[in-house]
Amino acid sequence: MNIELNTATILGLVSATATAIVIILVANYVLSSIGYSKLALRRNISAGWLIWIPVIRYWTIGAVADDYDSQNGIKRRFRFFLLAFQFIELAIVIPVAIYSLQLLPFYLEYGVELFTHDIQNFILLVPIIGGIVGLAFASALFKVCYTVAVYKVFESTEPRKALVFSLVGAMIPLLGSVFVFISRNKGYDYLTAYQEESEPEEDLTELVEEQ
């Protein structure tokens, strides 16, 4: 009876935890997608809807950061770097996962001793170890590039809070998505910039007509 109760309790905790994780992941994805799509729209960035597509979404994030830099006369390519690192990670993960699945039956049958008993068998693990190391390196580079790009986004919307927002968002992604969501209507947009640039020309025209 106690064993059944304990098993049921464990299964309940696992189910509740899994449900909470799914809700957090979905909320994180939706909030960030709404925020960045709105920022892309305000800045006249084409294909801002790509933010809703996994992996490709980082093009939109990089494009928003690049657009802000371009306003300051700086040319960067965050959108290309972010996409490149994502594709590199996929290029590592997919082959390593397929290779690992091929070795799985042997591992289940013979255990760890299959790879530790003979050096030739241990060599079979080299592609997996190399893949893990390569993935860790690519992920680290992506994280740095992504954090800098997000900082640029916040610098264009919440200049005084940009550093705090970007660092907190790097540690707690859900909060980072919340910050993007609440900042989606802040910062410059092309309509406002166009109106500001047009005003002096109108004043000059009126002055010439008066003369």
Side-chain angles (χ1 to χ4, degrees):
M1 182 66 179
N2 290 333
I3 295 177
E4 293 180 357
L5 180 61
N6 291 336
T7 301
T9 302
I10 292 173
L11 290 176
L13 290 174
V14 170
S15 177
T17 302
T19 301
I21 291 174
V22 170
I23 292 174
I24 291 173
L25 291 176
V26 171
N28 178 60
Y29 198 92
V30 171
L31 288 175
S32 64
S33 296
I34 293 175
Y36 280 113
S37 62
K38 180 62 175 179
L39 287 172
L41 179 63
R42 281 169 54 84
R43 299 175 188 188
N44 200 29
I45 295 174
S46 60
W49 53 269
L50 291 176
I51 190 66
W52 293 95
I53 304 177
V55 179
I56 306 297
R57 70 196 314 264
Y58 292 102
W59 184 94
T60 302
I61 298 173
V64 174
D66 288 340
D67 184 76
Y68 172 66
D69 274 345
S70 68
Q71 300 298 312
N72 299 316
I74 303 173
K75 292 184 178 181
R76 289 198 176 97
R77 295 291 183 269
F78 283 114
R79 57 190 184 276
F80 296 121
F81 284 119
L82 290 176
L83 264 186
F85 287 134
Q86 283 291 289
F87 284 126
I88 289 173
E89 289 180 6
L90 287 176
I92 296 173
V93 169
I94 293 175
V96 170
I98 294 174
Y99 181 76
S100 300
L101 289 175
Q102 292 176 339
L103 292 181
L104 184 59
F106 300 100
Y107 171 77
L108 294 176
E109 183 175 354
Y110 300 104
V112 180
E113 294 181 358
L114 172 67
F115 305 107
T116 59
H117 182 70
D118 190 346
I119 185 63
Q120 291 182 345
N121 291 339
F122 178 77
I123 293 176
L124 295 173
L125 294 178
V126 171
I128 298 177
I129 297 173
I132 294 174
V133 173
L135 181 61
F137 184 69
S139 297
L141 291 176
F142 169 79
K143 191 66 175 180
V144 171
C145 185
Y146 175 75
T147 302
V148 175
V150 171
Y151 171 78
K152 289 294 181 180
V153 173
F154 286 132
E155 191 177 32
S156 70
T157 58
E158 296 277 5
R160 297 181 180 179
K161 303 176 183 177
L163 182 59
V164 174
F165 279 5
S166 57
L167 291 179
V168 172
M171 294 182 289
I172 309 175
L174 180 59
L175 287 181
S177 297
V178 171
F179 295 150
V180 172
F181 180 79
I182 63 179
S183 303
R184 68 190 186 282
N185 293 315
K186 299 180 181 179
Y188 68 92
D189 62 47
Y190 276 95
L191 179 60
T192 302
Y194 175 77
Q195 290 174 343
E196 290 177 352
E197 291 176 357
S198 300
E199 287 177 358
E201 295 180 2
E202 293 175 357
D203 294 343
L204 181 60
T205 303
E206 292 176 359
L207 180 59
V208 172
E209 291 177 352
E210 289 178 0
Q211 292 179 345

